[in-house]
Amino acid sequence: AQSVTQLDSQVPVFEEAPVELRCNYSSSVSVYLFWYVQYPNQGLQLLLKYLSGSTLVKGINGFEAEFNKSQTSFHLRKPSVHISDTAEYFCAVSDQSGGFKTIFGAGTRLFVKA
Amino acid sequence: GAGVSQSPSNKVTEKGKDVELRCDPISGHTALYWYRQSLGQGLEFLIYFQGNSAPDKSGLPSDRFSAERTGGSVSTLTIQRTQQEDSAVYLCASSLGVGYNSPLHFGNGTRLTVT
């Protein structure tokens, strides 16, 4: 069965600094990977997804993620964060062994300081 | 167009009472998911529907939890004899279908408080 581990529950960072939010997954078959974002008092929305092809995926708001099959990772990065990026970020995985249901990690709260 | 709609947005109930949570998916979305979000626990998968059938109920925490979907549209999640540990935000999501190319569209959730 698939699972997702987000290694950091909270990440504080100063505005304009780079950030990396870590995500590792467990799956025995080909996977499809997602990052979702939940801004304060809002619903979850898709940030980016990896389905196949290029391992570097670009999403909204300047975020990107890199799929690394050998390390079973899908870390999220942004070269320069803004105050408005303060939110909770969820990594998610979907694969055939799980009937393609989407399983989420515990989330990482990104807090951007001025 | 309209997004995923959940009602009520907030529900306070006494321990031992039954509650029913409703989800109206995006029109045309055949897949519907229920998740539970507790503080610091991330999103816990409960159940998903493909059409009216539920191929995977493995996430339902106990037999007090049940869900149904009728007409391939609206779904209700029912919790019987609520307990304090049921307090959480219950999220519904829908997608075009179950599969890798179908990202989820979430509702704003129902915040359930059991006193």
Side-chain angles (χ1 to χ4, degrees), chain A residues 32 36 38 51 99 101-102, chain B residues 35 37 45 48 56 98 100 104:
Chain A
Y32 310 105
Y36 286 81
Q38 186 174 32
L51 305 179
K101 67 175 182 280
T102 303
Chain B
Y35 291 87
Q37 185 176 22
F45 169 80
Y48 85 88
D56 191 336
V98 177
Y100 65 92
L104 306 182

Side-chain angles (χ1 to χ4, degrees), chain B residues 24-52:
Chain B
D24 231 310
I26 293 172
S27 178
H29 280 194
T30 63
L32 186 148
Y33 297 75
W34 284 99
Y35 291 87
R36 179 166 70 175
Q37 185 176 22
S38 305
L39 194 62
Q41 299 296 314
L43 273 72
E44 176 188 4
F45 169 80
L46 299 179
I47 186 171
Y48 85 88
F49 292 89
Q50 178 60 37
N52 290 335

Side-chain angles (χ1 to χ4, degrees), chain B residues 93-110:
Chain B
S94 69
S95 69
L96 283 171
V98 177
Y100 65 92
N101 60 351
S102 299
L104 306 182
H105 298 259
F106 281 86
N108 287 330
T110 293

Side-chain angles (χ1 to χ4, degrees), chain A residues 10-21:
Chain A
Q10 293 186 69
V11 174
V13 63
F14 284 103
E15 195 174 19
E16 297 183 7
V19 70
E20 178 180 83
L21 306 184

Side-chain angles (χ1 to χ4, degrees), chain A residues 34-96:
Chain A
F34 308 84
W35 277 96
Y36 286 81
V37 60
Q38 186 174 32
Y39 296 105
N41 300 314
Q42 293 187 30
L44 278 89
Q45 58 183 284
L46 182 69
L47 195 59
L48 51 78
K49 60 185 178 184
Y50 169 79
L51 305 179
S52 64
S54 173
T55 57
L56 184 63
V57 179
K58 294 189 183 298
I60 62 172
N61 300 336
F63 282 93
E64 63 182 31
E66 186 158 19
F67 170 58
N68 187 317
K69 187 173 181 179
S70 63
Q71 296 187 3
T72 60
S73 68
F74 190 56
H75 300 333
L76 180 71
R77 301 185 183 102
K78 186 170 181 178
S80 175
V81 295
H82 301 289
I83 297 284
S84 59
D85 292 324
T86 293
E88 186 137 23
Y89 293 80
F90 294 92
C91 183
V93 64
S94 171
D95 71 24
Q96 189 173 13

